């Protein structure tokens, strides 16, 4: 297997490897896992694998989970269909910087995403290194956010366009989760900036040490959250991947965020994502 780094910040392309082999080859799988921890997102071309092989490869990292809004392949539970078609031009929910499923108590470990069909041009996906985003923060901001916690919501994102009863039912089933603003990567010990488009507000900002007058909390807390969320937008922390059918991305959802660029006219874009269950951030 050859590993070619794609930017200084994040991402590497793997060649000379077929992911179907890594289902049974422990040595190969260990090499891929180590590369994932190092580069945070891995890319492969020409992976003509079956859905069963896709699922079996992802299962080597852990159990898979379905998505409450996007459906899964009926024959392969855990393989979520992210399908866009010309009949749904307003279905735009991916194009915001996020880590997957942070509205769960235990957001995903990572995912294996395969392109089934894509526009001839456009529809790329971008990833940002959120360890670097944390590292590069000014020290006074690091001190300010060290003990902060924040709420993450499915209601305010996937639920927002639903009729109210459906939205409330979604929220009842998936109540908002609270996570540290700076999480610790459970395998590498690195600190990760962990707020995104799913984050609605800080939950413990309004203390006498932080808030002298009302303005410090409102708009002060919102301004700080917007600043933190905007760190993923910095190009120096990013990599951008152009899809072709049978291209695959594997990412560490604990240390990255991603953004599916919706710059293509209404046409088919079919992606299938095996999302791997993670653990509770600390
Ligand atoms: C996602 O947000 O997990 C999907 C990314 C993509 O469709 O490119």
């Amino acid at each position: 297997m050859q590993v070619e780094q794609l930017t200084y910040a994040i991402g590497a392309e793997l060649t000379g490897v077929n992911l179907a082999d890594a289902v049974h080859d422990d040595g190969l799988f260990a090499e891929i896992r180590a590369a994932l921890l190092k580069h945070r997102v891995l890319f492969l071309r020409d992976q003509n694998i079956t859905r069963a092989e896709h699922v079996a490869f992802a299962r080597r990292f852990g159990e898979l989970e379905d998505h409450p809004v996007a459906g899964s392949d009926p024959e392969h539970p855990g393989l979520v269909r992210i399908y866009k078609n010309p009949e749904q031009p307003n279905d735009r929910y991916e194009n915001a910087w996020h880590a997957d499923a942070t509205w769960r108590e235990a957001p995903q470990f990572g995912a294996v995403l395969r392109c089934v069909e894509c526009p001839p041009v456009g529809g790329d996906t971008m990833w940002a290194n959120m360890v670097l985003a944390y590292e590069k923060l000014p020290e006074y901001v690091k001190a300010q956010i060290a003990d902060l916690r924040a709420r993450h919501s499915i209601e305010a994102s996937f639920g927002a366009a639903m009729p109210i009863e459906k939205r409330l039912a979604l929220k009842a089933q998936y109540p908002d989760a609270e996570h540290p603003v700076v999480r610790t990567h459970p395998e590498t010990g690195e600190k990760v900036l962990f707020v995104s488009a799913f984050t609605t507000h800080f939950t413990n900002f309004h203390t006498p040490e932080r808030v002298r007058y009302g303005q410090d909390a409102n708009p002060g807390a919102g301004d700080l959250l917007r600043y933190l969320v905007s760190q993923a937008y910095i190009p120096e922390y990013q990599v951008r991947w152009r899809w072709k059918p049978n291209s695959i991305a594997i990412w560490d959802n604990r240390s990255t965020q991603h953004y599916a660029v919706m710059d293509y006219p209404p046409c088919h874009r079919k992606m299938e994502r095996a999302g791997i269950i993670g653990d509770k951030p600390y």
Side-chain angles (χ1 to χ4, degrees):
M1 179 175 93
Q2 290 82 47
V3 182
E4 186 192 348
Q5 194 175 335
L6 294 184
T7 73
Y8 276 107
I10 181 171
E13 182 167 350
L14 307 184
T15 50
V17 61
N18 185 317
L19 290 186
D21 296 338
V23 174
H24 304 291
D25 183 332
D26 292 345
L28 178 59
F29 179 71
E31 267 189 78
I32 294 172
R33 204 179 195 293
L36 181 63
L37 280 186
K38 181 168 175 198
H39 298 286
R40 310 188 193 283
V41 53
L42 304 176
F43 303 104
L44 300 97
R45 298 275 182 212
D46 304 320
Q47 296 296 305
N48 190 13
I49 59 174
T50 64
R51 290 189 169 94
E53 286 166 337
H54 182 170
V55 165
F57 172 73
R59 279 283 289 104
R60 294 219 54 171
F61 291 98
E63 298 283 333
L64 306 185
E65 67 187 9
D66 292 317
H67 191 280
V69 177
S72 290
D73 185 280
E75 281 163 33
H76 300 94
L79 194 60
V80 173
R81 290 169 156 178
I82 303 173
Y83 287 5
K84 302 287 164 198
N85 65 58
E87 286 77 55
Q88 296 163 323
N90 295 322
D91 191 2
R92 309 181 66 84
Y93 56 77
E94 297 112 325
N95 52 350
W97 281 100
H98 66 284
D100 286 331
T102 62
W103 31 265
R104 291 186 192 269
E105 280 296 303
Q108 288 178 6
F109 159 98
V112 181
L113 180 69
R114 185 172 74 95
C115 174
V116 178
E117 192 178 337
C118 55
V121 62
D124 300 352
T125 307
M126 302 168 73
W127 280 262
N129 176 345
M130 299 312 294
V131 172
L132 192 58
Y134 173 77
E135 259 171 43
K136 295 281 187 188
L137 286 174
E139 289 306 317
Y140 76 90
V141 176
K142 287 185 186 168
Q144 207 179 1
I145 66 175
D147 66 338
L148 272 186
R149 298 182 63 82
R151 197 70 84 197
H152 295 237
S153 167
I154 192 172
E155 182 194 23
S157 47
F158 288 99
M162 292 177 173
I164 187 160
E165 297 76 19
K166 220 173 150 199
R167 170 161 59 75
L168 293 176
L170 182 71
K171 184 184 167 75
Q173 204 180 350
Y174 299 93
D176 292 350
E178 182 179 312
H179 299 304
V181 167
V182 181
R183 77 175 289 184
T184 304
H185 193 288
E187 293 186 73
T188 64
E190 297 162 307
K191 289 188 172 179
V192 184
L193 184 58
F194 200 61
V195 287
S196 74
F198 290 132
T199 314
T200 55
H201 62 280
F202 299 127
T203 48
N204 62 341
F205 187 90
H206 205 304
T207 59
E209 305 75 50
R210 266 189 280 261
V211 178
R212 304 156 310 158
Y213 304 105
Q215 283 87 341
D216 287 347
N218 189 7
D223 288 347
L224 176 60
L225 180 58
R226 272 190 290 281
Y227 168 75
L228 295 174
V229 168
S230 74
Q231 298 307 295
Y233 314 164
I234 294 176
E236 283 79 357
Y237 307 160
Q238 299 172 356
V239 65
R240 181 171 179 141
W241 178 248
R242 183 165 181 190
W243 294 102
K244 295 188 178 139
N246 283 332
S247 298
I248 284 192
I250 308 165
W251 66 92
D252 184 340
N253 193 56
R254 303 162 299 180
S255 64
T256 63
Q257 290 186 21
H258 55 278
Y259 182 109
V261 181
M262 200 167 283
D263 58 351
Y264 50 95
C267 63
H268 289 283
R269 181 177 185 272
K270 290 189 179 174
M271 311 293 285
E272 294 180 355
R273 185 182 76 195
I276 302 140
I277 297 176
D279 40 24
K280 193 170 160 51
Y282 59 88

